[in-house]
Amino acid sequence: MRDVVTVFGHFGEWLQGRMGEDGPVALVTLPCPALHVHAPAEAVSEPPLFGATDLRRLAQLLGIAPDFPNASRNFAPGLGAGASTATLVALARAAGFRGDAETLAAACLAIEGATDPLMYPQPDRLLWASREARVLRHLPPPPPCEILGGFWGPPQRTDPSDGGFHDISDLVAQWEDPTCDLTRRAALASASARRCSARRGPACPTPDLAREFGALGWLRAHTGSARGLIFAPGTVPSRAADALAEAGLTGILSFRAGEA
């Protein structure tokens, strides 16, 4: 009997955009322990994300037998939460892949066209080129924080050919400063989210909710529907979750993030 592999998804990004006007699309992901994929599982998540052809190719790229178990996930694709990457990573490891993260990332990229760094043990410490499956830089860990969020609008799957993002090299330069505290990082995340919303939409109530409840900042999936408020640990107001639901966000959740 195989051991169950669990791979966590993410909840949007701290930062995402281009590194320079003509540079690669890069991101700093936000791992989310509330969202996960299990393999093997008793039942397949619906709808299945990958067919037999994709899985045979994955096995060939990784040098393993195409003996993939069922996988289940507790979140849908298109939310900006890494459903496809987390599923591929869970399936590969459950089928016996024991190689390095770089090899697994390259295989995921070949199947998806754009991939999240969920195969790495500390993905939020990477500046990640998602269309190239490579680490651009290693970053200081985000400070401990609490995220309260939900999902706004319809699911939106990532288009690997979509490069329509603002330059965030100025934000990354500040993020790299090891003295950058949670207040500053929340402001940087908010700036990245605002740039994305201004260019790509859709408008959402998250910035207003952040101001109403005294959050340090807000963040979003730059492709997808995840939206979240950033708080210092233990400071989430008791009524905030209900207010997000009243504002139209769905799937309300909270989780701890950062170095802790």
Side-chain angles (χ1 to χ4, degrees):
M1 185 174 179
R2 308 190 209 200
D3 292 334
V4 175
V5 172
T6 298
V7 177
F8 296 126
H10 64 95
F11 193 76
E13 296 83 29
W14 289 106
L15 308 173
Q16 184 168 335
R18 284 195 172 277
M19 292 301 292
E21 290 187 6
D22 300 319
V25 175
L27 60 85
V28 181
T29 195
L30 173 59
C32 180
L35 306 174
H36 52 72
V37 176
H38 297 314
E42 292 184 1
V44 180
S45 290
E46 295 294 340
L49 294 182
F50 301 101
T53 301
D54 283 334
L55 294 180
R56 283 195 298 269
R57 187 180 183 201
L58 179 67
Q60 182 179 30
L61 290 166
L62 296 177
I64 60 176
D67 183 21
F68 294 103
N70 290 337
S72 66
R73 62 181 184 276
N74 69 343
F75 60 106
L79 301 181
S84 57
T85 299
T87 298
L88 288 175
V89 173
L91 288 173
R93 289 178 173 159
F97 178 72
R98 298 294 180 266
D100 56 54
E102 292 80 2
T103 299
L104 185 49
C108 290
L109 181 70
I111 304 300
E112 301 179 89
T115 192
D116 296 297
L118 303 178
M119 63 291 298
Y120 287 83
Q122 296 172 315
D124 56 353
R125 301 188 186 194
L126 306 174
L127 180 64
W128 178 251
S130 57
R131 273 66 167 172
E132 302 173 9
R134 66 185 178 97
V135 177
L136 298 176
R137 299 176 199 169
H138 291 268
L139 302 172
C145 60
E146 192 164 348
I147 307 297
L148 173 68
F151 302 98
W152 175 261
Q156 180 187 5
R157 301 291 293 272
T158 298
D159 176 0
S161 66
D162 177 10
F165 295 89
H166 274 294
D167 181 3
I168 58 162
S169 53
D170 59 324
L171 304 181
V172 171
Q174 297 176 68
W175 190 272
E176 288 183 295
D177 181 353
T179 68
C180 188
D181 62 10
L182 179 59
T183 299
R184 287 177 62 197
R185 290 187 193 277
L188 294 172
S190 301
S192 183
R194 282 194 301 271
R195 292 179 189 182
C196 180
S197 294
R199 180 165 185 161
R200 302 169 63 86
C204 70
T206 321
D208 292 336
L209 289 164
R211 286 189 290 271
E212 179 181 352
F213 289 100
L216 296 176
W218 66 287
L219 49 78
R220 60 165 288 170
H222 292 64
T223 301
S225 53
R227 302 289 189 274
L229 308 183
I230 307 165
F231 294 93
T235 66
V236 179
S238 59
R239 209 188 75 77
D242 289 340
L244 264 64
E246 291 166 6
L249 279 76
T250 61
I252 306 302
L253 53 80
S254 64
F255 60 97
R256 295 292 182 103
E259 183 182 41

